[in-house]
Amino acid sequence: MTTAVPVPTVDLLLSLSSDHWATLQRHVRAVMHELEPPELTPRLVQLRALPAGRLVGGRARRDLSEALAQGGALWTAAVGALRHDPAAGELVEVLRGSEQPEPAPAPPPQGDVAPDAASDALRRRVREVLEERDDARRRFEGAEARARAAGERVAAGTAELDAANARIAELEDELRSADERHRQAVDRERRRAQSEIDALTDELRRHRRLAEERRARSRRRAEQDAAEPTSPPPTPPRRTPPRTPPDPATLRAGTTEHAQAHLRRDRRVIVDGYNVTRQHRGDVPLADQRAWLVKLLEQAVSRYGIRATVVFDAEEALPPGSTAPSRIVTVVFASRTATADDEIVFEVEAAEDVLVITDDRELRERVGAAGGDSVGTLPFLSAVQ
């Protein structure tokens, strides 16, 4: 009759020698893989997955000893496995609580005798320990390599994070600079637009003032004409009445005949003053240039019956209060904020059937766009001299 093996205490299991514990541990690990899942606690599942070297001591050995000390299916299966192991006889006796028996004397050698069971078990244990050591070394080296790789990844991630933070700071600086540039550009554009508005407002006031001055001059001339005695004008010398000028469109531009065809009676003729005098009387002072041109236009008025206006730039304008240089030719000086060209174009836009005398190509294009006609200075002078 086989004596039952009682459930051991935790202290007894912890006090087993390394050889006895190695034998017990080997059988317990084997039976843990044979038990059904309901018979295993979560901790036993964890212990089953551990290598043998982790169960030699420490917390893992205590947890396994506590599980065995609770009895149950694990202990029953382990005892059954021990009973079938001839090399576990001493361990079974220790677990039963009896003293460890004295080792039996070795039988005398009889020829080639096979090693005894204890030697075989010892060699197996040594091989297992070496295997466990090598396995533990491989795991340690693998863990060390993984730790190094993780450290390198952490370092690389830290470097990337630092670079990303630096890039974010750089982009924030660029965004602030862009916002500042945009604000400055908006301010500049606002100031420029306001300056243009102010300039246009001043220009409008100037044109209104010029228009008012022209109306005032017209009123003064009318008053002067009304105040003069009504003596009959001197009888002009008898001359052959001019023939009706032909249509300018039928004549070649740039000829005297073409210019004469444009000089119709009562037609408004505006002369670009300095453009004429500087080409044909540029060797004399400006005042003499103006006097020459005004006298020439008076002759043209008497000859063709035109309404002549000459426009000069603001250079050497007549001082305030001075008399007009002619009663039958209107002399206009452009303001210092505009040019004679601008004044001429304004006059063309404000009237109909206007003829402009100039060689300025740009001015002629502007006059044509405003609906006026233009004739060069040389054909005009040939027609009126």
Side-chain angles (χ1 to χ4, degrees):
M1 180 176 177
T2 303
T3 305
V5 179
V7 178
T9 63
V10 174
D11 293 338
L12 175 61
L13 294 174
L14 293 176
S15 65
L16 292 176
S17 65
S18 58
D19 292 341
H20 288 161
W21 176 253
T23 303
L24 177 61
Q25 170 192 323
R26 186 175 69 254
H27 290 289
V28 170
R29 291 185 65 197
V31 298
M32 280 195 297
H33 286 83
E34 298 175 356
L35 294 177
E36 297 296 331
E39 298 175 336
L40 293 175
T41 64
R43 180 55 180 163
L44 286 178
V45 174
Q46 295 176 355
L47 294 174
R48 181 179 63 180
L50 294 176
R54 294 285 300 278
L55 299 174
V56 173
R59 182 63 187 176
R61 177 171 177 175
R62 173 170 290 277
D63 290 346
L64 184 58
S65 299
E66 291 177 355
L68 291 171
Q70 293 178 2
L74 178 62
W75 173 247
T76 302
V79 170
L82 290 174
R83 286 176 174 171
H84 291 84
D85 185 1
E90 295 182 2
L91 174 58
V92 173
E93 294 300 326
V94 171
L95 294 175
R96 284 176 179 162
S98 61
E99 295 183 359
Q100 187 171 342
E102 293 292 334
Q110 298 179 359
D112 296 332
V113 180
D116 56 16
S119 298
D120 292 341
L122 181 59
R123 282 192 290 271
R124 286 195 302 272
R125 177 57 187 158
V126 169
R127 286 194 298 270
E128 291 177 357
V129 171
L130 292 176
E131 291 174 357
E132 292 173 0
R133 182 200 64 185
D134 295 340
D135 184 56
R137 181 179 298 166
R138 286 190 297 271
R139 289 198 308 275
F140 174 77
E141 292 174 351
E144 189 176 35
R146 289 191 297 273
R148 283 195 302 270
E152 292 174 356
R153 289 194 298 272
V154 170
T158 303
E160 291 179 0
L161 180 60
D162 294 340
N165 290 332
R167 180 56 179 163
I168 291 173
E170 181 181 352
L171 292 175
E172 289 177 347
D173 292 338
E174 293 179 359
L175 180 59
R176 284 192 293 270
S177 299
D179 289 341
E180 180 63 21
R181 290 194 299 271
H182 179 265
R183 184 188 64 78
Q184 294 176 358
V186 170
D187 291 341
R188 286 195 301 271
E189 185 63 22
R190 184 181 297 112
R191 290 194 297 270
R192 187 192 64 78
Q194 187 60 46
S195 176
E196 291 182 356
I197 292 173
D198 295 341
L200 291 174
T201 302
D202 294 340
E203 185 71 11
L204 178 61
R205 292 197 189 100
R206 186 184 69 82
H207 284 299
R208 288 175 176 173
R209 185 177 65 254
L210 292 175
E212 183 61 29
E213 290 175 356
R214 285 193 294 273
R215 287 192 293 270
R217 287 196 299 268
S218 298
R219 286 194 300 269
R220 286 195 299 269
R221 284 196 297 269
E223 292 173 357
Q224 290 174 0
D225 293 341
E228 291 179 352
T230 58
S231 57
T235 303
R238 185 181 298 273
R239 63 177 62 183
T240 303
R243 61 184 178 85
T244 303
D247 185 2
T250 63
L251 300 175
R252 184 167 61 89
T255 62
T256 303
E257 293 77 9
H258 181 264
Q260 290 174 339
H262 275 289
L263 298 176
R264 298 188 298 272
R265 177 171 294 276
D266 293 329
R267 189 176 194 188
R268 182 77 178 278
V269 178
I270 302 176
V271 181
D272 186 0
Y274 288 132
N275 183 262
V276 176
T277 63
R278 285 175 174 166
Q279 295 187 79
H280 304 282
R281 285 294 186 273
D283 54 341
V284 299
L286 292 180
D288 295 338
Q289 294 180 26
R290 291 195 296 268
W292 168 79
L293 182 56
V294 170
K295 184 177 180 180
L296 188 66
L297 290 177
E298 289 177 343
Q299 296 175 5
V301 171
S302 300
R303 181 175 177 182
Y304 292 100
I306 60 175
R307 294 181 294 128
T309 300
V310 58
V311 181
F312 295 105
D313 284 314
E315 302 179 50
E316 298 187 7
L318 291 177
S322 62
T323 59
S326 176
R327 292 180 54 192
I328 62 175
V329 176
T330 303
V331 180
V332 178
F333 288 91
S335 67
R336 296 188 180 277
T337 59
T339 65
D341 293 356
D342 295 333
E343 184 68 25
I344 291 172
V345 173
F346 178 78
E347 294 286 347
V348 173
E349 291 175 344
E352 296 181 356
D353 194 23
V354 178
L355 174 66
V356 176
I357 309 303
T358 183
D359 285 336
D360 188 332
R361 178 178 298 177
E362 181 180 355
L363 176 57
R364 296 181 71 166
E365 292 177 353
R366 293 176 64 186
V367 168
D373 297 325
S374 60
V375 169
T377 62
L378 188 58
F380 173 75
L381 294 178
S382 298
V384 299
Q385 287 180 338

